[in-house]
Amino acid sequence: MTEEHGHDVAAEPAKGGAESAAGQVAAALVLALAVVAAVLFVGGLDDTAAQNNKPAVCNPPKATDAPEYPALCAALNRPDLPVLVGVPSEHVVNAYSSGGQVTSAAGTKETEASAQVQLGSVYLQVSDNRDLSVQSFDDFLRPRPVPGSLLGHPSVTYLDRTTSIVFKGATASSGTGGIARHLVVAKGAKAEGGSYEIAVWRQDDATPDDAILLRVAEAVLPALPGWVPAA
C-alpha cells in the first residue's frame, strides 16, 4: 500500500521569474511525487463498486476540491480505461479527487487540481498544472526529464518512487515503494503555456509499462476543457 505526503507545502510566492517557477514546480511535485494519497483512506472506506462488481463513478466534489476536479475525473474515468491500461477484466473501483492544498511562503493557499482512479493494482492520476509550463519541469527537475511530443504538443516524462506503508496491527511502517511514471504535456502548441500531467503506478510495486501512460494520455487529454488541438 502506498501513501501520499502531506498537502500543506511551503512554496515560493506567485511572482514572476525563476524563483517563482521553481516554487511552483516544487509545490506541484509534492502532490505528484507522492501520488497515492487517498488510496489508503478512500480505497479502504468505499468498496461499494468492488462489492457490486460495477465500475465506480467519480466521487462528488467537496467544498475543498478544486473547481477543475469534476472535468478531470470525468475525462480519466472513461468506459474504455481498463482496455487502455491493459486489464480489460478489471474495472474502476475508486475515482476521486487527489488534489491537496499548497501554502506559499507568503501564506496564501491554493487547491491543486487532480483526480485519481484505481483499477485493481493499477492507479492513474491526471492533474491540471494550470499555468505551470512544461519548460518549468525541464528547467528545475534533476535529473532532467526526457523531452518529447504528444499529439503535437511539447511534453516531458520523468520517474519517481512511491512510499510503501505496511500495517501490522495498530502500528505502521514506511519504506520505498515502486516506480511511478509521469508525463507532463503542454495544453497548447508551446512549451511555455500551462500543462496537464498524467501519472501511472502500481500497488504491487511492479514498474508500469510506459505504453500504458501514452495510451491513456492520448485518450484523456483531448477530452479536457483547456486542451488546444494542434494545428
Side-chain angles (χ1 to χ4, degrees):
M1 184 65 70
T2 46
E3 181 185 20
E4 193 176 67
H5 303 301
H7 294 303
D8 290 327
V9 183
E12 295 297 323
K15 300 178 181 178
E19 290 186 0
S20 174
Q24 291 181 57
V25 171
L29 289 179
V30 167
L31 293 171
L33 295 179
V35 285
V36 202
V39 170
L40 176 61
F41 303 105
V42 177
L45 293 175
D46 184 7
D47 294 324
T48 303
Q51 292 171 358
N52 296 337
N53 199 32
K54 295 180 180 179
V57 298
C58 292
N59 284 357
K62 305 182 296 293
T64 54
D65 289 332
E68 297 93 339
Y69 158 66
L72 292 172
C73 194
L76 183 59
N77 191 20
R78 46 190 294 135
D80 62 348
L81 189 60
V83 175
L84 294 173
V85 174
V87 289
S89 62
E90 299 282 356
H91 59 259
V92 172
V93 295
N94 275 310
Y96 47 86
S97 172
S98 55
Q101 195 171 71
V102 176
T103 303
S104 73
T108 59
K109 295 184 177 181
E110 181 178 0
T111 302
E112 295 296 308
S114 185
Q116 187 167 296
V117 301
Q118 175 191 356
L119 299 91
S121 61
V122 179
Y123 296 86
L124 295 120
Q125 180 172 283
V126 59
S127 303
D128 185 343
N129 291 332
R130 297 180 176 132
D131 60 351
L132 187 62
S133 70
V134 168
Q135 187 63 50
S136 296
F137 283 82
D138 187 52
D139 288 343
F140 295 104
L141 271 181
R142 297 292 182 274
R144 286 193 170 182
V146 179
S149 177
L150 184 78
L151 301 175
H153 292 221
S155 68
V156 295
T157 56
Y158 66 94
L159 304 178
D160 64 65
R161 284 193 173 274
T162 61
T163 300
S164 175
I165 304 295
V166 178
F167 288 92
K168 292 183 179 180
T171 63
S173 60
S174 63
T176 301
I179 294 292
R181 294 185 181 273
H182 295 257
L183 172 65
V184 183
V185 184
K187 294 180 178 180
K190 297 183 178 180
E192 293 78 14
S195 65
Y196 288 115
E197 183 165 357
I198 292 183
V200 58
W201 65 98
R202 297 179 61 92
Q203 187 177 7
D204 56 15
D205 293 343
T207 301
D209 188 344
D210 189 50
I212 293 175
L213 187 62
L214 295 176
R215 287 197 301 268
V216 172
E218 288 175 347
V220 170
L221 293 176
L224 296 174
W227 182 261
V228 180

